[in-house]
Amino acid sequence: MRPFLAWLGWAAAAIVGVIFLTAAFLKGADLALFATQITDYGLSPSAWSAPSAVLLVILEGVLGVGLLLWFAPRVAIPATAALLLIFIAATAIGWARGDVTECGCFGRLAARGPGEVIVEDLVFLALLGIAWRLGPKSPPLPRARRCVAVGLILVALAWPWIGPHAPVDRWVTGIGPGADLSGLSAEDLRLPLEQGAVLVALVGPDCAACDASLPALEQIGQSEPGLRVAAIFAGDRAARRAWQLEHVPGFPVGHASQKALRQYYRRLPVVFRLQDGEVIQVWWGRAPDPGDPRLR
Amino acid sequence: MIRHVLLLPFAVGLSWASGSAAAPPSTWHEAAGLRCVVSDSIDVGARIFESPDYQQTLVVPTGGENVFILALRARTYRVVPRESVSWLEDGPAPDLSAGADGGGFMESGGTMTFLDEDHTLAIEPEPPLVGALDLAKLQDSKPDYVYAAERYEPDAKSVASLRAVDRETRIEVFFGAWCSHCKVWVPRLLATLDAAANPHLTPTFYAMDEDLAEPAEPIRRASISDTPTIVVYQGGAELGRIEEEPVTSIESDLAMILAARRP
């Protein structure tokens, strides 16, 4: 019975560990968005948001490794519990002030309300309690597991700097071939994105890569019969019009706020090939090359 | 007809000269989100069109003898006699060889400014879509809603029920131009109201900002916290509302709200 209970304790810790590792992965992959979400909580000066985001990603990653691999559990479990209590308090305060309507716990992949977050965190605390009470009594870790733990901790420490550049856009945004983008809404765009074959580029201000994509997009619009090209500018109407007059693209340009578009990208530009609103292909960070067979 | 045939190769040549080797242009289409200001007064009747290759803008003020064609890359404009523009079923067809060069236009912050005799004309972006709108303004500002509405067929039974409403009913629709939920449900509401064609059902649309803070008074009065929210009133009293998404369908939920009111 005792080994089974020990295993149960470890399993409880491992569940929380996996959740923390997933959260660290997603938040670290889009640190800018996570920092914005911290700012939205309104609990600290906005200048602290970026370093706070880095610190939290590292903490969640390191603690997640510790819980999953039962590495230094006598430190990992109470530290994780303390972090959860801080999350619960921050969410409750932000919720009471009306500053928070959605948590940024898993980046953009799982939008949850503050009430749900608090309930989940309480469940995680309960799991940690089970882990603390029942878990194995910290025998020396096998060498292999120790090495894996150290390796993963090093990755967790580096992830805030690696993550934003890692090619994980599809997992972070949840958008890939087959995704339904019929909800993508733009003002002033007289081109229905839900009908037929459309190549739509998300562009924005101060985006050299977006500007560099324009010649390719124009060439594609001219050379691919049946494929309509459009762009959605992340910003307001005045900024979109100014950008349009600066570059004079040969295709229609609409606009949507950065806040509304942010769920679709980590970095601009992003180009979607849509068929009747469904994603067929995505090009992250650049326009497709004219002649790319995936345009057809 | 002959003029249009002769116009075609010129239009092709012009679009080639602008750097865009596009297929022969079809028609100019009405630009969205722009307005014309003549000597500091908004010309509400002015119409603004974009060329098929998006390289030129046609400005047709309400008054005056001339219209204006702005070449966006060259930052120049042409003064064209109003009668040089033919009006086809799907848009204008300006005679690009008519008129005279007007010179260069200024551009700042998305606004193009140029002179016509003693008037200054400015083509500027309209303010953000926030505030009360009537149906016509909504349709003009959100062509994607119009498109989606045209493709939705509301349930006939619910439509019949809505058609039978004989009391003055105010329907307030709170939405965001930025809101993906709204893009699904507001067009279905538009299609439903169009199908019911009941003059007793009067919609008013409120476009909200992303913080749901403006327009402040209607939002506060109706206690809006979700988008879209559709509130139904009769005799000044709220009968019911649909928040974020309907339980069954827009038309069915609306019909149920109104049916519950009937004696």
Side-chain angles (χ1 to χ4, degrees):
Chain A
M1 189 63 178
R2 180 65 205 160
F4 171 73
L5 290 176
W7 180 89
L8 201 63
W10 171 79
I15 290 171
V16 180
V18 166
I19 289 167
F20 263 54
L21 281 171
T22 305
F25 170 78
L26 292 171
K27 290 175 194 171
D30 197 346
L31 215 55
L33 178 65
F34 184 37
T36 303
Q37 289 162 342
I38 292 174
T39 303
D40 288 344
Y41 271 76
L43 296 176
S44 57
S46 56
W48 292 12
S49 297
S52 299
V54 170
L55 180 63
L56 284 170
V57 167
I58 290 173
L59 268 177
E60 287 184 338
V62 169
L63 292 173
V65 171
L67 292 172
L68 181 62
L69 296 179
W70 202 250
F71 184 70
R74 296 286 135 179
V75 173
I77 292 174
T80 306
L83 198 57
L84 282 169
L85 287 170
I86 293 171
F87 289 161
I88 290 170
T91 304
I93 294 170
W95 191 15
R97 281 155 53 167
D99 291 333
V100 173
T101 53
E102 258 182 29
C103 86
C105 314
F106 292 93
R108 57 172 69 69
L109 264 193
R112 281 134 57 251
E116 292 170 293
V117 168
I118 291 174
V119 168
E120 285 173 3
D121 286 352
L122 289 171
V123 170
F124 299 153
L125 275 173
L127 288 172
L128 289 175
I130 293 170
W132 180 263
R133 181 74 180 84
L134 301 178
K137 297 302 175 198
S138 298
L141 269 187
R143 183 190 173 88
R145 194 152 27 126
R146 214 165 43 235
C147 289
V148 169
V150 169
L152 287 176
I153 286 172
L154 289 174
V155 171
L157 289 170
W159 186 242
W161 290 274
I162 301 172
H165 306 286
V168 294
D169 296 84
R170 181 173 179 173
W171 290 276
V172 172
T173 61
I175 297 173
D180 177 12
L181 242 58
S182 55
L184 180 58
S185 186
E187 292 186 52
D188 298 347
L189 188 64
R190 294 192 188 282
L191 188 157
L193 302 177
E194 309 89 344
Q195 185 192 27
V198 181
L199 192 72
V200 59
L202 304 189
V203 297
D206 304 318
C207 173
C210 301
D211 301 345
S213 298
L214 294 178
L217 290 170
E218 293 215 18
Q219 195 175 338
I220 291 167
Q222 292 157 18
S223 61
E224 293 290 334
L227 180 64
R228 293 161 302 148
V229 177
I232 300 177
F233 181 86
D236 62 23
R237 181 176 282 143
R240 184 262 297 172
R241 186 65 184 162
W243 181 88
Q244 219 172 344
L245 292 177
E246 181 184 351
H247 299 287
V248 197
F251 46 80
V253 183
H255 64 276
S257 69
Q258 289 190 1
K259 194 172 171 182
L261 282 186
R262 195 57 176 82
Q263 60 182 299
Y264 299 106
Y265 67 88
R266 285 196 300 165
R267 279 186 315 276
L268 295 174
V270 181
V271 182
F272 301 111
R273 161 84 163 82
L274 304 179
Q275 182 66 42
D276 298 326
E278 182 182 314
V279 175
I280 303 299
Q281 187 64 41
V282 188
W283 290 266
W284 301 102
R286 63 177 183 88
D289 295 323
D292 188 325
R294 292 172 294 178
L295 289 168
R296 291 174 206 108
Chain B
M1 176 62 180
I2 291 176
R3 172 191 274 181
H4 300 152
V5 171
L6 291 176
L7 183 63
L8 193 58
F10 183 90
V12 172
L14 190 67
S15 71
W16 175 81
S18 73
S20 165
S26 51
T27 57
W28 296 55
H29 43 266
E30 195 133 22
L34 295 177
R35 66 185 184 187
C36 178
V37 179
V38 180
S39 298
D40 298 326
S41 292
I42 299 172
D43 183 353
V44 294
R47 300 184 73 183
I48 303 167
F49 299 87
E50 291 170 312
S51 61
D53 62 359
Y54 300 92
Q55 301 297 296
Q56 295 170 285
T57 299
L58 170 67
V59 181
V60 184
T62 308
E65 298 173 352
N66 300 317
V67 302
F68 308 91
I69 298 174
L70 283 68
L72 302 183
R73 279 193 197 270
R75 302 279 171 111
T76 59
Y77 69 101
R78 198 166 178 81
V79 184
V80 176
R82 188 177 287 270
E83 59 268 17
S84 300
V85 179
S86 305
W87 292 92
L88 309 178
E89 189 180 316
D90 48 0
D95 180 352
L96 298 172
S97 64
D101 289 328
F105 66 79
M106 306 284 291
E107 187 275 323
S108 175
T111 296
M112 301 183 288
T113 309
F114 56 97
L115 288 172
D116 174 37
E117 294 173 349
D118 53 352
H119 294 297
T120 301
L121 285 89
I123 309 304
E124 61 183 30
E126 289 185 332
L129 195 64
V130 174
L133 313 167
D134 59 20
L135 181 60
K137 178 64 180 170
L138 173 67
Q139 290 171 327
D140 185 59
S141 302
K142 293 293 287 174
D144 53 340
Y145 284 14
V146 175
Y147 176 83
E150 287 169 354
R151 278 148 189 80
Y152 180 68
E153 224 173 289
D155 164 63
K157 192 171 164 196
S158 301
V159 170
S161 179
L162 292 171
R163 200 174 283 137
V165 172
D166 56 6
R167 298 170 93 149
E168 293 307 313
T169 305
R170 200 169 86 246
I171 301 172
E172 291 190 340
V173 184
F174 294 83
F175 74 101
W178 38 269
C179 160
S180 55
H181 274 102
C182 304
K183 192 180 175 190
V184 174
W185 300 113
V186 176
R188 295 186 189 193
L189 174 69
L190 297 179
T192 297
L193 293 176
D194 187 57
N198 185 340
H200 298 294
L201 302 178
T202 309
T204 303
F205 300 91
Y206 293 99
M208 300 186 288
D209 66 0
E210 283 182 310
D211 296 323
L212 303 194
E214 295 292 338
E217 196 277 330
I219 290 173
R220 183 200 51 76
R221 172 175 48 75
S223 302
I224 303 300
S225 58
D226 282 304
T227 53
T229 296
I230 300 162
V231 190
V232 183
Y233 298 92
Q234 270 185 0
E238 179 179 332
L239 297 188
R241 62 174 61 192
I242 301 168
E243 288 180 305
E244 199 171 340
E245 57 183 31
V247 173
T248 311
S249 66
I250 282 282
E251 62 270 28
S252 174
D253 280 28
L254 260 186
M256 282 173 54
I257 289 171
L258 287 161
R261 177 66 175 86
R262 289 196 197 121

